[in-house]
Amino acid sequence: MASEDVKTSESAVSTIVNLAAEEAKLARQGVKAPSYAVLTICKSLVAGGVAGGVSRTAVAPLERLKILLQVQNPHNIKYNGTIQGLKYIWRTEGLRGLFKGNGTNCARIVPNSAVKFFSYEQASKGILYLYRQQTGNEDAQLTPVLRLGAGACAGIIAMSATYPMDMVRGRLTVQTEKSPYQYRGMFHALSTVLREEGPRALYKGWVPSVIGVIPYVGLNFAVYESLKDWLIKTKPFGLVEDNELGVTTRLACGAAAGTVGQTVAYPLDVIRRRMQMVGWSNAASVVTGDGMSKAPLEYSGMIDAFRKTVRYEGFGALYKGLVPNSVKVVPSIAIAFVTYEMVKDILGVEIKISD
């Protein structure tokens, strides 16, 4: 059996190598092989998936703390700040507690990131084609506004495709060892929600997510690509060599993009998380302190969630968890963009999309 597996693996590798060699030969002759587009798409999806998995795992403890701060009851506070919150999780749940829900998050973010990056490239190409047709200028480039539109399209497509996993990931993240009911994993959570709350429950909070993803993902891509273009064109402070940006500079561009996007869209993220808890019979116990001071969580919709949150907890409640999220999102977005470009470079995929 082992020898058969080795032979199969060798055969697969040989096939890929031969395919790549044939495509390279055809490329030199100015001809694209029939499988060229499919292989390019696969490489793009792999690069996006790797970028998402690496970036989210790197900041998983901060991601979990952010969600706990967003949904905890203001009358029974367990998590009171970034440092205290991380120490509390470490003390009560150990190392595993810091990464609770990360497996589900990666199962969601890998396909989400793959689809998002690929959708952005395709949307950018389509928008650029229409823009050039409309202006009659074949040398026209994407403007920041057009990049914002492409990023918004990519964000909506990716978020909608993986939203049920995001919903159950939120619930898995907030439960603790003392919670009255335990989801055993992503598939158990999905089946339980379907059985007890119905299919529509998997899309609770989808509307604020769509509204929030437009400025968040749109601004991420728009700011990142625009900063890169500006730096390459102006070449300030010797940051550009041979029309290429270094890893540190690209990380800085990604950090700036993440800061702008998350600040604008954060209140909608808070509302989304709270709406995801509605209908879960044990949600009140989980978010208020493992069974103490139970209070019903009921929102009739996004507007109602906004109104009740501000009325009972103040405007500042819309930014609960912003500090750990800011600490998390800057390196996360930066790592995602740079990892994506580096993996695509390794796989030999053209990443320039503004031509």
Side-chain angles (χ1 to χ4, degrees):
M1 180 64 72
S3 62
E4 291 179 0
D5 290 341
V6 171
K7 289 180 180 178
T8 302
S9 299
E10 290 178 348
S11 176
V13 171
S14 177
T15 301
I16 293 173
V17 170
N18 290 335
L19 178 60
E22 183 64 24
E23 288 184 344
K25 179 181 177 182
L26 290 172
R28 287 194 296 271
Q29 299 172 354
V31 179
K32 287 186 177 181
S35 59
Y36 179 85
V38 175
L39 187 60
T40 300
I41 291 172
C42 290
K43 288 178 177 179
S44 182
L45 290 172
V46 168
V50 171
V54 170
S55 63
R56 287 309 175 97
T57 300
V59 296
L62 291 166
E63 173 70 12
R64 187 186 180 212
L65 178 61
K66 179 203 75 171
I67 295 175
L68 289 169
L69 287 169
Q70 286 178 334
V71 301
Q72 75 172 341
N73 190 297
H75 303 296
N76 190 10
I77 295 175
K78 294 192 298 180
Y79 311 97
N80 189 21
T82 304
I83 303 301
Q84 181 275 335
L86 290 173
K87 286 182 177 179
Y88 183 86
I89 295 172
W90 174 267
R91 187 174 66 254
T92 58
E93 301 180 59
L95 180 63
R96 291 184 62 185
L98 293 172
F99 289 88
K100 182 172 287 185
N102 186 56
T104 306
N105 195 24
C106 285
R108 174 192 70 90
I109 203 63
V110 168
N112 178 282
S113 184
V115 172
K116 181 171 63 180
F117 277 103
F118 176 72
S119 297
Y120 176 73
E121 291 191 355
Q122 299 309 306
S124 295
K125 291 175 182 177
I127 290 173
L128 181 58
Y129 173 78
L130 293 175
Y131 182 57
R132 286 175 173 174
Q133 291 287 98
Q134 184 179 20
T135 60
N137 180 8
E138 290 300 317
D139 295 324
Q141 301 298 316
L142 287 173
T143 66
V145 174
L146 294 178
R147 287 197 179 104
L148 179 65
C153 291
I156 292 172
I157 292 170
M159 183 273 297
S160 299
T162 59
Y163 192 81
M165 285 187 286
D166 179 68
M167 189 270 188
V168 299
R169 192 263 300 197
R171 293 194 176 187
L172 283 167
T173 299
V174 301
Q175 70 180 13
T176 66
E177 298 299 328
K178 297 180 181 179
S179 299
Y181 184 79
Q182 294 285 322
Y183 291 124
R184 295 191 295 271
M186 180 179 67
F187 294 108
H188 179 246
L190 283 169
S191 61
T192 302
V193 172
L194 277 172
R195 183 176 65 253
E196 297 183 357
E197 302 175 47
R200 291 184 61 184
L202 293 175
Y203 282 88
K204 283 179 178 177
W206 182 82
V207 173
S209 295
V210 169
I211 297 173
V213 83
I214 292 174
Y216 180 64
V217 179
L219 285 170
N220 279 345
F221 279 109
V223 173
Y224 181 73
E225 294 291 343
S226 297
L227 271 177
K228 277 177 55 186
D229 282 356
W230 178 77
L231 288 171
I232 290 173
K233 289 177 181 177
T234 60
K235 297 180 173 60
F237 313 115
L239 296 174
V240 181
E241 295 181 5
D242 299 325
N243 288 327
E244 290 291 335
L245 297 178
V247 173
T248 303
T249 306
R250 282 186 284 173
L251 282 170
C253 291
T259 301
V260 173
Q262 68 97 23
T263 302
V264 172
Y266 194 77
L268 288 157
D269 188 55
V270 173
I271 295 304
R272 171 184 62 150
R273 289 297 173 203
R274 294 192 169 204
M275 291 182 69
Q276 287 175 348
M277 300 299 129
V278 176
W280 185 15
S281 59
N282 291 289
S285 300
V286 170
V287 301
T288 60
D290 308 320
M292 297 179 293
S293 303
K294 294 184 180 180
L297 296 173
E298 292 296 337
Y299 304 119
S300 60
M302 181 183 71
I303 303 300
D304 184 52
F306 266 110
R307 187 173 62 248
K308 287 181 178 177
T309 298
V310 174
R311 179 190 300 169
Y312 297 123
E313 302 175 52
F315 184 78
L318 295 175
Y319 286 90
K320 280 186 174 180
L322 179 63
V323 173
N325 190 64
S326 298
V327 176
K328 174 211 74 159
V329 80
V330 171
S332 178
I333 296 297
I335 292 170
F337 276 119
V338 174
T339 302
Y340 176 69
E341 294 188 348
M342 292 180 69
V343 173
K344 291 194 75 174
D345 284 342
I346 292 170
L347 295 176
V349 182
E350 176 62 45
I351 61 173
K352 187 173 178 58
I353 58 178
S354 58
D355 290 342

